[in-house]
């Protein structure tokens, strides 16, 4: 079980979110731009420091104001995928995946798992956006992460590629049985992928909910800011 | 005609550039990526040689590197010799004077690197030192080359600071720019003209190289 309570003061409001995500489930964070979604996911990865609260994976604290613990991102073993520009431009796809990989044999396995074996020797600028995000997923999984964090991973892709990668992510989630936390603007994506949903508004969250009772809380796709 | 001063200039430029790059790369990374108290002061201090008259810089270096100065005393304790009026002394002086020329292109190149790449490297388990070698340096090759070329060119034309710290000892500290000055003083214009022409050709070639590197780094 991955759980957290994050308090972080921002310029106009305080982010105050409690979340929990068991292994094998996908928790979706939705909300309008500037509602604090990315702050939450960056805080979970250790890229931003919360003002108070805790982050815990199983029995181990990654952050706790009470216990005075703050692990660096490299000590947390998370997989993280940004919206774009995640890959190192000076490395080939295979070397990008190998970057954080402890076992070199895992690179081949991930290239196959994400269907990008043929791109192993390509540089990021030589491949399409969808292929780059597949490679980014492989890179994130190469560290054998305890938790997978996805910050709007498909938002820069066209509709067809997005649908393909959503299916791919669902397949990976079922196979790897990791806690997965994903930020998205897309109500369809949230509906299709999320086992749990949290809707953020000015840093405040609705209660973690099941797929059924959370869906009405999501605004219609047309009302979401672009 | 004696080409030793030209050889000494090239040797001085090469050695000081190589050592300077090793100092300037971590220093530029520190100034760009690390927030620490006094960063603004440190940044200005690095740029100080740009605005100081070379004779002023040379004077202070002479005091610091002289037999009674802290660097001179430390050098004497280590090597048993003096630092001023030696080739080692002018290497150090040239490095100090060329420091901003080496650091500025590196800072510009480092600032262009997408911060998310550094965050990603951190998430993927890299220590700050590993991030420096595996992400920052490979993504700043244009800046590193520009830094090396500018530091080399600046040292090739160095005059005031080297004269103050090294004097003009033939075969040891009498570099091309000092030799030209002395040829002119002795009204040996032919020798001065040949050495000057060689320096112009080297400097122009280096500028062409810098422009080429800048153009290429814009295309990345």
């Amino acid at each position: 079980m991955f759980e957290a309570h994050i308090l972080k003061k921002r310029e106009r409001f305080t982010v105050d979110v409690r979340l929990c995500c068991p292994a094998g489930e996908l928790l979706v964070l939705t909300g309008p731009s500037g509602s604090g979604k990315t702050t939450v996911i960056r805080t979970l990865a250790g890229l931003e420091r919360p003002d108070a609260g805790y982050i815990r994976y199983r029995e181990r604290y990654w952050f706790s104001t009470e216990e005075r613990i703050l692990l660096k991102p490299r000590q947390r073993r998370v997989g993280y995928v940004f919206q774009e520009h995640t890959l190192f431009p000076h490395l080939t796809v295979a070397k990008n995946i190998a970057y954080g990989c402890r076992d070199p044999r895992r690179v081949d396995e991930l290239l196959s798992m994400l269907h990008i074996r043929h791109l192993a020797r390509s540089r990021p600028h030589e491949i399409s956006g969808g292929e780059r995000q597949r490679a980014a997923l492989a890179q994130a999984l190469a560290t054998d992460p305890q938790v997978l964090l996805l910050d709007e991973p498909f938002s820069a892709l066209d509709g067809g590629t997005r649908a393909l990668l959503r299916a791919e992510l669902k397949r990976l989630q079922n196979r790897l049985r990791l806690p997965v936390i994903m930020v998205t603007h897309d109500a369809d994506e949230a509906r299709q992928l999320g086992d749990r949903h949290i809707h953020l508004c000015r840093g405040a969250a609705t209660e973690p909910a099941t797929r059924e009772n959370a869906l009405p809380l999501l605004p219609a796709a047309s009302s979401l800011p672009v | 005609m004696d080409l030793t001063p030209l050889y000494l200039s090239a040797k001085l430029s090469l050695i000081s550039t190589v050592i300077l790059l090793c100092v300037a790369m971590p220093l530029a990374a520190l100034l760009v990526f690390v927030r620490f108290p006094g960063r603004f002061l440190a940044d200005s201090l690095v740029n100080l040689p740009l605005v100081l008259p070379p004779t002023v810089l040379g004077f202070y270096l002479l005091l610091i590197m002289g037999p009674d100065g802290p660097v001179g005393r430390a050098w004497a304790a280590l090597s048993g010799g003096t630092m001023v009026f030696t080739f080692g002394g002018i290497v150090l002086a040239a490095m100090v004077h060329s420091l901003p020329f080496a650091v500025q292109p590196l800072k510009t190149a480092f600032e262009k690197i997408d911060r998310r790449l550094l965050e990603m490297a951190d998430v993927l388990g890299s220590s700050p030192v590993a991030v420096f070698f595996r992400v920052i340096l490979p993504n700043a090759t244009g800046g590193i080359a520009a830094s090396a070329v500018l530091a080399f060119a600046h040292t090739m034309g160095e005059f005031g600071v080297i004269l103050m710290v090294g004097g003009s000892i033939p075969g040891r500290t009498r570099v091309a720019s000092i030799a030209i000055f002395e040829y002119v003083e002795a009204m040996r214009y032919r020798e001065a003209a040949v050495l000057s022409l060689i320096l112009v050709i080297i400097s122009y070639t280096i500028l062409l190289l810098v422009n080429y590197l800048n153009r290429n780094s814009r295309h990345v």
Side-chain angles (χ1 to χ4, degrees):
Chain A
M1 175 75 83
F2 180 68
E3 50 188 317
H5 179 203
I6 290 163
L7 287 146
K8 185 164 174 68
K9 206 167 163 46
R10 290 187 51 179
E11 208 172 301
R12 282 175 295 170
F13 55 81
T14 298
V15 173
D16 182 354
V17 179
R18 285 175 190 276
L19 56 87
C20 69
C21 186
E25 288 202 3
L26 195 150
L27 168 68
V28 178
L29 295 175
T30 55
S33 288
S35 59
K37 306 183 298 292
T38 294
T39 301
V40 171
I41 205 157
R42 286 176 58 81
T43 304
L44 297 176
L47 298 172
E48 287 186 33
R49 184 191 176 136
D51 297 321
Y54 70 90
I55 302 168
R56 190 170 70 183
Y57 177 68
R58 292 188 177 157
E59 295 311 308
R60 192 183 183 208
Y61 281 99
W62 291 359
F63 167 76
S64 166
T65 28
E66 211 168 279
E67 308 275 334
R68 301 173 69 87
I69 293 172
L70 176 66
L71 295 191
K72 293 183 166 65
R74 61 180 174 275
Q75 296 170 313
R76 298 188 182 200
R77 237 177 76 209
V78 297
Y80 195 104
V81 179
F82 288 93
Q83 188 176 337
E84 50 188 341
H85 304 302
T86 306
L87 299 173
F88 301 113
H90 62 291
L91 299 178
T92 62
V93 167
K95 285 185 176 167
N96 261 286
I97 297 170
Y99 187 96
C101 200
R102 293 166 189 183
D103 178 4
R105 284 170 302 182
R106 182 121 174 88
V107 177
D108 271 344
E109 190 187 322
L110 285 163
L111 283 167
S112 302
M113 194 191 287
L114 273 300
H115 312 296
I116 47 172
R117 180 171 284 282
H118 60 292
L119 304 173
R121 290 185 181 182
S122 306
R123 297 280 175 123
H125 68 273
E126 296 166 342
I127 62 180
S128 70
E131 289 168 337
R132 270 200 293 273
Q133 287 310 77
R134 277 177 193 274
L137 258 175
Q139 185 191 48
L141 294 171
T143 54
D144 195 15
Q146 305 180 107
V147 181
L148 187 58
L149 304 172
L150 310 170
D151 187 3
E152 305 204 43
F154 311 136
S155 62
L157 307 176
D158 63 79
T161 313
R162 209 180 312 169
L164 270 176
L165 279 177
R166 277 182 203 158
E168 194 73 64
L169 177 62
K170 202 67 197 168
R171 189 176 61 81
L172 281 172
Q173 184 208 344
N174 291 331
R175 179 170 168 178
L176 300 168
R177 311 298 300 163
L178 288 172
V180 183
I181 299 172
M182 182 169 93
V183 166
T184 183
H185 267 106
D186 187 328
D188 286 338
E189 195 164 276
R191 195 175 291 119
Q192 189 185 338
L193 293 175
D195 300 303
R196 293 165 179 247
H197 300 80
I198 292 178
H199 183 70
L200 282 179
C201 190
R202 293 178 61 81
T206 61
E207 287 299 307
T210 61
R211 175 194 293 244
E212 287 70 27
N213 65 16
L215 287 177
L217 297 168
L218 294 167
S222 57
S223 70
L224 287 170
V226 178
Chain B
M1 189 189 141
D2 181 18
L3 290 178
T4 313
L6 207 57
Y7 162 74
L8 264 184
S9 280
K11 184 177 154 192
L12 171 69
S13 299
L14 195 65
I15 292 172
S16 64
T17 300
V18 170
I19 303 173
L20 187 55
L21 273 187
C22 297
V23 175
M25 286 191 291
L27 182 60
L30 190 74
L31 292 172
V32 171
F33 298 117
V34 183
R35 291 188 177 279
F36 60 91
R39 183 168 70 154
F40 174 73
L41 295 176
D43 200 12
S44 303
L45 191 66
V46 167
N47 284 327
L48 198 58
L50 275 180
V51 291
L52 274 183
T55 44
V56 173
L57 183 64
F59 172 68
Y60 282 116
L61 286 174
L62 197 56
L63 289 183
I64 293 166
M65 292 159 63
D68 297 325
V71 176
R73 273 205 303 267
W75 181 255
L78 279 173
S79 69
T82 57
M83 201 169 207
V84 289
F85 307 119
T86 64
F87 185 75
I90 63 172
V91 167
L92 184 62
M95 280 172 57
V96 173
H97 199 201
S98 295
L99 188 65
F101 292 90
V103 169
Q104 283 310 323
L106 288 169
K107 275 182 65 187
T108 307
F110 291 171
E111 277 159 2
K112 278 188 204 164
I113 296 174
D114 190 333
R115 296 296 170 113
R116 283 171 296 186
L117 293 180
L118 310 184
E119 292 182 340
M120 185 48 63
D122 194 358
V123 169
L124 289 171
S126 285
S127 67
V129 173
V131 174
F132 177 70
F133 285 107
R134 296 181 70 186
V135 181
I136 295 174
L137 293 188
N139 282 290
T141 47
I144 295 169
S147 164
V149 167
L150 277 176
F152 186 91
H154 187 245
T155 309
M156 277 300 282
E158 184 57 67
F159 178 74
V161 174
I162 291 179
L163 190 63
M164 294 289 281
V165 173
S168 175
I169 303 170
R172 284 171 64 188
T173 62
R174 189 170 174 255
V175 294
S177 54
I178 295 173
I180 291 168
F181 175 74
E182 289 179 351
Y183 282 139
V184 172
E185 270 206 319
M187 291 197 287
R188 292 166 65 183
Y189 294 122
R190 196 181 150 273
E191 286 94 334
V194 172
L195 269 186
S196 299
L197 184 65
I198 294 171
L199 279 187
V200 166
I201 292 168
I202 292 172
S203 302
Y204 186 63
T205 309
I206 285 169
L207 277 180
L208 287 178
L209 195 60
V210 170
N211 284 341
Y212 175 77
L213 291 171
N214 281 340
R215 205 179 57 179
N216 271 11
S217 68
R218 276 200 297 272
H219 291 312
V220 172

